[in-house]
Each structure stands twice: as C-alpha cells, then as structure tokens.
Amino acid sequence: MPDISFSPDDSLYRDRDRLSEEYTPTELVGRDDEIARYHTALQPVINNEDPNNIFVYGKTGVGKTAVTRYLLEQLEADAGTYEVDLTTVELNCEGLTSSYQVAINLVNKLRPPGESISNTGHPMHEVLSQLWDALEGIGGTVLIVLDEVDNIGGDDTLLYQLPRARSNGNVEAARVGVIGISNDLAFRENLRAEVKSSLAEVNIRFPPYDAGELEQVLAQRADAAFYDDALAAEVVPLCSAYGAKDGGDARKALDLLRAAADLARADNADTVTAEHVEEARRELEREEVMDGIADLADQHKLVLYALVTLQAAGETPARSQDIYERYAELCKSAPHDARTTRRVRDFLGEIEGLGITASSHHNDGLAGGQYRAHELSHGAELVLAAMSDLVDQVGVHEAIVDIVEDSDRISVSLA
C-alpha cells in the first residue's frame, strides 16, 4: 500500500499561488498599449473631473480584469496622495441575469454590513432609489466595475440608468463612473443606441495574446512561482506556444504550466520538462472534452453516440445521412423523438465547433455528389465515458460492447 501521509514539498515551487488567476503582479507585461489607453481613460478621476464610462471587451484570459484591478489599485493609491475622494466597487455579474439582480447586489455592496436588502420582493424603482441613496451617502467619485456584464443579456435598464445618475438628478454628491467588462464581443453592439452612447464613452479592446506576449506573462509568473532552475529552458516557450494556439488565453497557458509542474512534483522530478508539459496538455484536453460533452443536450449526445458506434465499427469518416440513420435508430430506445435530417446536420456542426469531432468535404462527382464526412477527434472510450448517463439510458449498442467491457471509465450497465 502506498504511503498516504502528507508533508510539505517545496522542491519546485517557491510560491505556487503566483500562477493563480487571482494573483496580480506588481507590474503587468504584454499589455502596454491597452494599459496606456486605459490610463488615459481614468485620468479625469485624479483631476477631480467627471469620470469616463469605459467598456472593456475581449475573449477570456486576455488580461481585462487583471489590468482593471492593476490600474484601479494604482488609482486608489494616487487618489490618497492627491486627496481625491474615490470609492471603487467591483461586482462579478456571473449568475446575475437581469438589471434587477445586479442592482440588488450593488446596493448590498454599497450599504454597511448588516444593512443588506433581500434578493427578491422589491419593485425595481425602489431598488434604484436605494441604490441612489447609497451612492449619495458615499459621495465623491464612485467607480462601479461590472465584470462579465454580458451575463445580464438584453436587460440593459441599469446600464442606461447608472451612467446618467448625476445628469438625471438621481445623485448630487456622487460622480458615478461605470466600467463594463465583457467576454462577449457582440454584447456592446446589441445594446440600445442610447445605452451604448453613454456606457461606452471609451471602448478598450483587448486582443488575444500572441506567443511572444504570453512568454512574457509566463516568464514573469515563473520567476515568482518557481525556484531557480526548476523549469527546463523549453517549458515556458512551449506553454506559451500552446496558449497562443488555444486563442491567446493566458489563463489556459498558466493552467498548463501549473499542471506540468504538478506532474513533475508527483514524479519527484528535480525539473519540469517538455515531457511534463505534453502529458499535462493531453490531460487538460481530456478534461475539457469530457466537460464539453457532459454539458451537451441529450439530442446532441444522441447524434454523437451514433457517430461513436459507427467509428467503433470502422465505418468512419461517416456521411451525415449514415449518422442520421443510426441516430434515428437510437432514438427509438430513448425518450426523445428523432429530429429532422437538417437539424441533425446542425447538431453535427455545433459538436464539431467544440472540437469533439472533425469533418471533411467530399465530392464524388455525379455518382456520389458532394457531402461532409465526420469522425471523432478523440478516442471512443473518452467520449463514451463523458456521456455514460445517455448510453445507460439508451442502452449499449452492439458496436461498442467490447469498448465498454474493456474500460473501467465507462459507467454503464451491460444487458
């Protein structure tokens, strides 16, 4: 039996937490242009002028929130030096799907402890009135950061009201500025024109990191997180290259570096190597695929199950029509009616968009016509393990019996 006792291990890491998303370095690298523009947009605050309303957008992991916190921390420090009355409030809108929910949460962040209001049961006008009272009570310049603001969808009532709080006479003693941060590049365009004009006085786009910028970010974090010589020379460039390939997402690149180092530590290795990076990447990809499949609707899973059975039988790449016929067969054992051929083609496209499958275009001339052929991008065992619930519900198709019997990861019942 292996030793399961725990003891501190500091052979590689100086401070593992320096690789986490929550850590903000004392200096940010790789975002000089964005920092310069953001700094200019925030300058009116230190001049005791009305703050700009700022809209920050870009894909996940490109530094939007990190740069915002970095600059606001500096702004707060300088406001103290120059005796500027400044308050910053940050609210992550994840899980908040309406202006009402955001307004309630803002009121509770602004009010003193013990004076929060309940999450339901108040008319919107009453919540807004309490929000204005809270802002008026604070006074000075109040910057409200709404991270992941796109979660509120099409309900932009609060985004209309907040930037106009002073001009509409809702507050007098407070200058209110809004900083909206969005992962959805189309969110701003879907706002009403009057909301867009006030919320997005200044637009700052954060493009994906390229490999060189990611290497700067990872090298900085690695210096803080690891002991000297803990990483082989190729590790940071390799993680950076993979991060650039994955859409320029710094979070994914940092996750890969941390996962590789954790594998090295588990191996009692003195150095993190490229082999650890490759192994970590394979494992992270497996987890991402598993999560993506698990989140699919049952109809998508049925289409994917049909493709798995065809691949297990050596019948891939498979035409959409062949997949449809197997899908319709599976639907007879499922509590779902078969959708149309066209809808199944849509499902196949959506599944491919998640990187779970791949397709190729074929042209067999007059005899066979033009069509797309599909196959799995990952092993059948991995895919089946991720949708064991659906397979158990529909039953094990004869084409996958051997895979199920040989796997200890697929939790289904064999008849």
Side-chain angles (χ1 to χ4, degrees), residues 9-15 222-231:
D9 183 346
D10 60 358
S11 57
L12 294 173
Y13 287 113
R14 179 183 287 120
D15 186 345
D223 286 344
F226 296 101
Y227 289 113
D228 294 342
D229 301 322
L231 304 181

Side-chain angles (χ1 to χ4, degrees), residues 98-118:
S98 68
S99 286
Y100 180 85
Q101 292 176 337
V102 173
I104 289 279
N105 278 268
L106 281 177
V107 169
N108 289 336
K109 274 186 169 287
L110 293 167
R111 297 182 74 164
E115 296 185 18
S116 61
I117 61 176
S118 60

